[in-house]
Amino acid sequence: MVRRRAEHNEGEIFSLEEVSLHQQNIERIEHLEKWCRELKILYLQNNLIPRIENVGRLKMLEYLNLALNNIEAIENLEGCESLKKLDLTVNFVGRLSSVASLKHNLHLRELFLVGNPCAAFQGYRQYVVASLPQLQSLDGQEVSRSERIRAEQGLEEVRRSVRWQEEAYARRRAQEKEEARRGGAAGAEQSRAPRGRSAGWEESEEERQDREFWEKPCAFSPESRLEAHRHLEAKQKTTTLEGEPTPKTPRTLITAEGRALNLNQPKLDFCLSEDEEANSIKLDLAVYRHMDTSLLEVDVQPTYVRVTVKGKMAERPSRSRKALSRKNILRPNRA
């Protein structure tokens, strides 16, 4: 996959400076720190990644985009010494205190946490601004000098509040995980009648199961995202298997009795005539205009003539037991 994305670099991955792996259903970050040590920009948004890992050796990495994943904590980025911008938009980061791990990224200037549970915590912005003195922008809003000074005031109280909110969120997450483990969902299951269907319409068992899956209430969580992905993956696999064409039966060109059968794969016009006086059969075959003669092959046998045009076969049995004359068997006609 990485090599395919390196087409602009002539397929060479070791010297890659930018790679885009978004929307690839990736569930784990791996190999990149071994293969692409010179990466500066890495796009991994809209995947199913649950943890930030295996990027600590990317010393030259400046921009990491992990938006729309299943990440719950900020971690393992201390080794990214050149990191300037980190995008974690719409993930599941509930441990706001994990932003403290970014103190070691001295060049970090931009951070995006909007859409995460921690962004709804009371005192969220003050806590992040005070924890990361090198930060210049948070969620697209500039961090001013006066805001930084204010963030330092009353920080201990904000920390206690954040710790309490983290614990409350951790309890909710534990409950969600337990419900996901049991195969249930948060909230009571509600049955809904199919919409937009005619009165005489009857849904199949597969359609009913699919409808119930999507109409089942559930919390927006890493587990529900992963479950939806698995459901779509299974459905796509089933559709692919059902839609696979039946293997074609090999064409029979000559019967067991040795009789040649008619075959005109390229669907070319032809005229087959017999000359009694010259004791020969003449085949006039219309081929494609401006076609190179190297794409035309002729095989003349006593009972049939086989012409292959651009890999497609046009085979005609003779209408006579007389021997076919190679001299007058084919007259190409450029249509």
Side-chain angles (χ1 to χ4, degrees):
M1 185 188 299
V2 176
R3 194 174 296 280
R4 287 201 306 269
R5 298 285 174 163
E7 292 177 352
H8 62 283
N9 200 43
E10 298 181 353
E12 185 177 332
I13 63 176
F14 297 102
S15 61
L16 269 180
E17 293 188 357
E18 178 180 337
V19 65
S20 179
L21 297 169
H22 63 284
Q23 292 182 308
Q24 296 297 314
N25 297 324
I26 297 171
E27 297 186 32
R28 187 183 179 189
I29 306 173
E30 52 186 354
H31 306 307
L32 290 176
E33 64 177 4
K34 298 177 183 178
W35 297 345
C36 313
R37 291 288 187 88
E38 298 183 18
L39 269 183
K40 292 184 178 180
I41 301 174
L42 177 56
Y43 296 101
L44 284 167
Q45 68 269 31
N46 206 354
N47 283 294
L48 299 162
I49 300 168
R51 288 191 64 199
I52 304 174
E53 58 184 344
N54 300 322
V55 293
R57 295 183 183 179
L58 299 177
K59 305 295 182 182
M60 303 174 67
L61 188 65
E62 298 179 1
Y63 176 32
L64 177 58
N65 191 330
L66 283 164
L68 291 163
N69 276 283
N70 292 347
I71 294 166
E72 299 192 62
I74 304 172
E75 56 188 345
N76 303 321
L77 290 171
E78 295 85 349
C80 300
E81 300 171 354
S82 304
L83 190 63
K84 296 179 180 179
K85 183 177 179 180
L86 176 62
D87 193 343
L88 291 169
T89 302
V90 190
N91 273 274
F92 298 91
V93 178
R95 285 172 47 198
L96 183 56
S97 57
S98 64
V99 299
S101 65
L102 297 173
K103 284 182 178 179
H104 303 282
N105 303 96
L106 301 179
H107 299 285
L108 185 65
R109 298 294 180 263
E110 296 181 72
L111 176 63
F112 290 86
L113 286 171
V114 64
N116 284 271
C118 66
F121 288 3
Q122 186 176 358
Y124 151 74
R125 186 174 177 89
Q126 180 181 353
Y127 183 91
V128 176
V129 170
S131 299
L132 303 175
Q134 76 274 36
L135 208 60
Q136 295 180 353
S137 174
L138 175 60
D139 296 334
Q141 295 182 12
E142 183 183 355
V143 178
S144 64
R145 185 170 178 272
S146 58
E147 182 184 11
R148 194 176 304 282
I149 294 172
R150 290 194 303 271
E152 294 289 344
Q153 300 171 358
L155 182 57
E156 285 304 317
E157 184 179 346
V158 172
R159 281 176 178 164
R160 286 194 296 270
S161 174
V162 166
R163 194 178 305 117
W164 178 83
Q165 292 174 87
E166 280 184 343
E167 291 172 357
Y169 176 75
R171 288 192 293 270
R172 291 198 302 272
R173 280 293 296 129
Q175 184 179 357
E176 288 175 357
K177 289 178 181 179
E178 179 61 22
E179 289 173 347
R181 189 185 65 81
R182 295 197 311 262
E189 186 172 337
Q190 300 174 359
S191 59
R192 303 179 187 175
R195 296 184 294 269
R197 294 161 180 161
S198 60
W201 184 88
E202 291 185 6
E203 63 181 350
S204 65
E205 179 63 20
E206 183 180 351
E207 289 173 329
R208 184 190 64 78
Q209 292 177 356
D210 187 59
R211 175 177 59 79
E212 288 180 354
F213 176 85
W214 293 112
E215 292 182 352
K216 180 179 65 177
C218 66
F220 180 61
S221 66
E223 292 76 24
S224 65
R225 282 197 74 214
L226 198 59
E227 185 184 8
H229 168 69
R230 296 277 186 264
H231 179 80
L232 288 172
E233 193 176 43
K235 186 177 180 181
Q236 184 178 12
K237 188 179 295 185
T238 303
T239 304
T240 303
L241 290 173
E242 290 177 351
E244 283 184 354
T246 305
K248 292 184 177 180
T249 306
R251 289 183 179 273
T252 302
L253 304 179
I254 300 177
T255 64
E257 297 80 19
R259 182 171 57 87
L261 300 177
N262 291 336
L263 180 65
N264 189 1
Q265 285 182 322
K267 296 180 173 56
L268 298 174
D269 292 334
F270 70 94
C271 178
L272 189 66
S273 57
E274 187 173 352
D275 189 342
E276 293 285 349
E277 296 181 0
N279 192 29
S280 64
I281 296 175
K282 181 172 65 177
L283 174 64
D284 190 356
L285 181 69
V287 297
Y288 309 111
R289 188 185 301 273
H290 308 306
M291 190 186 74
D292 193 285
T293 54
S294 64
L295 301 175
L296 187 68
E297 295 181 6
V298 181
D299 179 22
V300 180
Q301 298 295 332
T303 57
Y304 69 88
V305 57
R306 178 181 296 165
V307 183
T308 305
V309 182
K310 295 178 69 174
K312 294 184 177 181
M313 193 181 301
E315 183 175 288
R316 305 301 302 180
S318 69
R319 293 180 299 177
S320 170
R321 299 300 299 173
K322 298 177 181 179
L324 299 177
S325 169
R326 291 180 181 270
K327 181 178 179 181
N328 199 28
I329 191 64
L330 181 71
R331 178 188 296 169
N333 176 19
R334 303 284 179 173

